[in-house]
Amino acid sequence: MSVNIFGKTNVGSSQRVISGGVTLSQAINTFLRRDGKNAADANINMSSNKIINVLDPSDDQDAATKNYVDTHAVSKTGDTMTGTLDMNGCAITNLLNPSTAQGAATKSYVDKQDSAQIITLNSYVDTHAVSKSGDTMTGDLNMGGRMVKGLPVHYPPTTYLGSEASSWSQVTQLVNAEVQNAIKITKELITKELITNTPKKSYSGYVPILEENISRTGFVATASAVTTEKCQAYGAFNSLNAEGSYGSWATPAKKGWLQIKCPEAVTIWRVALKARAIDGKNITEWNFSGSNDGKTFEPLLTSTTKLLGSANAPLFFDISTTTAYQYYRLAIQASTGAGDFGVQVMQLYVLST
């Protein structure tokens, strides 16, 4: 029967007797097994010998190899961190004062720098900042969209030198004063302009007393037809002649037209009309128009107001137009009574500037 270094025999019985009378169970409880199936009961003194060929630890209580410590622990001789070092409320002491820009600063170093900075800052502020007690700017001040408040009000302008900053209330007062003055001036100009250029209604008849159809005054009277030599077109523009003595225009038909050509184009605002002074010869439908070539006429008024032969005075009709015409025509569209209808009065009233 053979026995290995752990006292094992090739017989399965744990009660076999081996060298010195030690059983297998006694050997296992006494010696540390090579296969790791039992544990040490106390410290093992290596007596300055090494434990070699150890794996890097995987559990918290595993022995650490030199390689593991070298790659995971911070070296006392100097090292470089690869992550954040959390001091967990503990201090770092006995530091040297920094010699490089990224060196850790000691309290002593910072205190000395703060003192120097205070002196430097005081000097800088004195030479660069604006004093509350009053100062003079040496460059532009950009307010960045902010307001300057608490400015004095220099009003009236007798106390304002012109170089001070104006307060909002002062600007408002000055602007309002200028605006009111501008409004006043503008109103005066507009009023003057309106008075000067606004057309004025003339209440005096524009057509003078005509002595014949082609008048020496520049007016020309024409008609669609006449009844007799005494009832020519110009008779409607001759208030001096009595009826029957060239005092009216008359046409033999129940329709017809009477026209006046002015020396120049004029804008009218009213026309006066009166039928021939013969009772029963009434004009019941008519229209009034204007032209600048004597051929194409623009309607200005269409009416069914009767022009009675028995009337003692003309009727006045307002004309709404801003166009100046040289020709004005009254066209009789319908009438009642016997023939020889006509017009005793046709007068124009113009707009003048």
Side-chain angles (χ1 to χ4, degrees), residues 119-132 135-141:
I119 296 172
T120 303
L121 286 173
N122 286 340
S123 175
Y124 185 86
V125 169
D126 290 341
T127 56
H128 290 79
V130 179
S131 174
K132 290 177 64 177
D135 218 328
T136 301
M137 296 295 297
T138 59
D140 296 334
L141 180 61

Side-chain angles (χ1 to χ4, degrees), residues 22-180:
V22 179
T23 66
L24 179 60
S25 296
Q26 291 174 332
I28 291 173
N29 291 331
T30 303
F31 302 103
L32 190 63
R33 297 183 56 157
R34 291 178 61 187
D35 59 6
K37 288 185 178 182
N38 63 349
D41 292 332
N43 294 333
I44 298 175
N45 187 347
M46 295 304 298
S47 188
S48 299
N49 295 306
K50 296 180 180 179
I51 299 176
I52 61 174
N53 295 326
V54 179
L55 289 176
D56 286 341
S58 59
D59 295 327
D60 289 344
Q61 297 303 114
D62 290 352
T65 64
K66 180 179 182 299
N67 175 68
Y68 182 85
V69 172
D70 289 344
T71 56
H72 287 79
V74 178
S75 176
K76 289 176 64 175
T77 61
D79 216 331
T80 301
M81 296 297 297
T82 59
T84 302
L85 180 61
D86 185 351
M87 296 304 297
N88 195 27
C90 298
I92 299 176
T93 61
N94 296 323
L95 287 175
L96 289 176
N97 285 331
S99 59
T100 62
Q102 297 304 112
T106 64
K107 180 178 182 300
S108 172
Y109 179 84
V110 172
D111 290 343
K112 290 179 181 179
Q113 295 301 313
D114 284 345
S115 177
Q117 287 294 325
I118 290 172
I119 296 172
T120 303
L121 286 173
N122 286 340
S123 175
Y124 185 86
V125 169
D126 290 341
T127 56
H128 290 79
V130 179
S131 174
K132 290 177 64 177
S133 61
D135 218 328
T136 301
M137 296 295 297
T138 59
D140 296 334
L141 180 61
N142 186 344
M143 296 303 299
R146 302 291 182 176
M147 293 188 295
V148 177
K149 296 184 177 181
L151 291 171
V153 178
H154 300 281
Y155 197 84
T158 52
T159 60
Y160 179 63
L161 301 179
S163 60
E164 300 95 333
S166 300
S167 66
W168 175 251
S169 59
Q170 179 182 359
V171 171
T172 302
Q173 290 172 331
L174 293 174
V175 169
N176 285 340
E178 290 299 321
V179 169
Q180 293 301 320

